[in-house]
């Protein structure tokens, strides 16, 4: 953490808002000394929760990033993500599913990709799987997954998979490819 740079950032926001240290302290529920320490580059003496609370009082978000040697943790998480995807595809294949990794789509202006998109020929069932190690915002994650599930029959049809349709919870005839 660059405490020397962080402090003036807090101070600049206070100046822009026309606040004194005591104004920010009261809004954040901390002492004026805490705000002073942060502004003077002594944020290392303050807990991360307090730093975040003071940032929130400024209507900002504190983003702390962990960096490790030459390899960032995000690369390690990506490796875990890739391994989980690979293992899931192997399990699906063992049960007769045809699975695609990173199945991209563009339908009616909506575009994206599905981590694992699978089709089960004996039943005509489709499976949309999103693999994530971090869920920053559950509402956005669920919204994206819902969109992909809604588009799944059309994505399948475009790939030649005759997926079974369900209308009002009832099975109907397969959706024929275009």
């Amino acid at each position: 953490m660059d405490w020397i740079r962080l402090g003036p950032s807090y101070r600049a926001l206070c100046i822009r808002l026309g606040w004194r240290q005591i104004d920010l302290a009261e809004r954040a529920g901390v002492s004026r000394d805490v705000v002073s320490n942060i502004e003077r580059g002594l944020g290392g003496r303050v807990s991360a929760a307090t730093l975040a609370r003071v940032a929130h009082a400024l209507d900002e978000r504190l983003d702390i990033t962990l960096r490790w040697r030459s390899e960032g943790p995000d690369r390690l998480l990506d490796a875990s993500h890739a391994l989980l995807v690979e293992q899931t595809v192997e399990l699906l294949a063992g049960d007769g599913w045809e699975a695609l990794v990173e199945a991209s789509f563009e339908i009616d202006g909506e575009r994206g990709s599905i981590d694992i998109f699978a089709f089960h020929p004996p039943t005509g069932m489709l499976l949309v799987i999103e693999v994530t190690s971090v869920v920053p915002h559950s509402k956005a994650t669920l919204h994206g997954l819902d969109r992909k599930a809604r588009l799944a029959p059309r994505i399948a049809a475009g790939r030649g998979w005759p997926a079974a349709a369900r209308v009002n919870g009832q099975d109907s005839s397969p959706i024929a490819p275009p």
Side-chain angles (χ1 to χ4, degrees):
M1 179 68 68
D2 185 351
W3 302 114
I4 301 302
R5 183 179 168 105
L6 184 68
S9 298
Y10 279 79
R11 183 71 193 133
L13 289 169
C14 278
I15 291 170
R16 171 167 257 180
L17 294 168
W19 294 356
R20 301 168 296 160
Q21 286 181 341
I22 192 66
D23 298 324
L24 176 56
E26 288 174 357
R27 285 175 171 84
V30 299
S31 71
R32 192 196 66 73
D33 287 341
V34 167
V35 173
S36 175
N37 282 338
I38 294 169
E39 289 183 357
R40 291 184 294 130
L42 303 173
R45 297 180 181 177
V46 179
S47 74
T50 298
L51 288 169
R53 193 165 68 233
V54 174
H56 182 72
L58 290 164
D59 198 27
E60 291 294 328
R61 187 186 84 216
L62 179 66
D63 188 13
I64 298 175
T65 303
L66 178 65
R67 301 186 194 283
W68 182 72
R69 298 181 189 158
S70 64
E71 190 173 28
D74 53 338
R75 282 194 177 162
L76 298 173
L77 291 174
D78 284 347
S80 297
H81 179 274
L83 180 61
L84 185 56
V85 167
E86 180 183 321
Q87 291 172 338
T88 303
V89 167
E90 286 176 13
L91 285 171
L92 290 170
D95 284 335
W97 289 81
E98 295 176 24
L100 296 172
V101 175
E102 290 298 322
S104 61
F105 63 88
E106 183 172 354
I107 297 175
D108 297 335
E110 295 187 82
R111 67 175 100 182
S113 68
I114 300 170
D115 287 342
I116 302 171
F117 187 46
F119 172 65
H120 192 246
T123 62
M125 291 176 59
L126 294 174
L127 185 60
V128 173
I129 300 176
E130 288 297 303
V131 178
T132 184
S133 54
V134 177
V135 180
H137 194 281
S138 61
K139 186 175 182 179
T141 301
L142 291 173
H143 175 73
L145 186 57
D146 180 63
R147 179 177 67 95
K148 293 170 185 179
R150 176 177 46 81
L151 295 172
R154 291 179 64 191
I155 298 167
R159 297 192 178 279
W161 289 348
R166 291 186 65 93
V167 179
N168 296 326
Q170 301 295 317
D171 289 332
S172 66
S173 60
I175 298 172

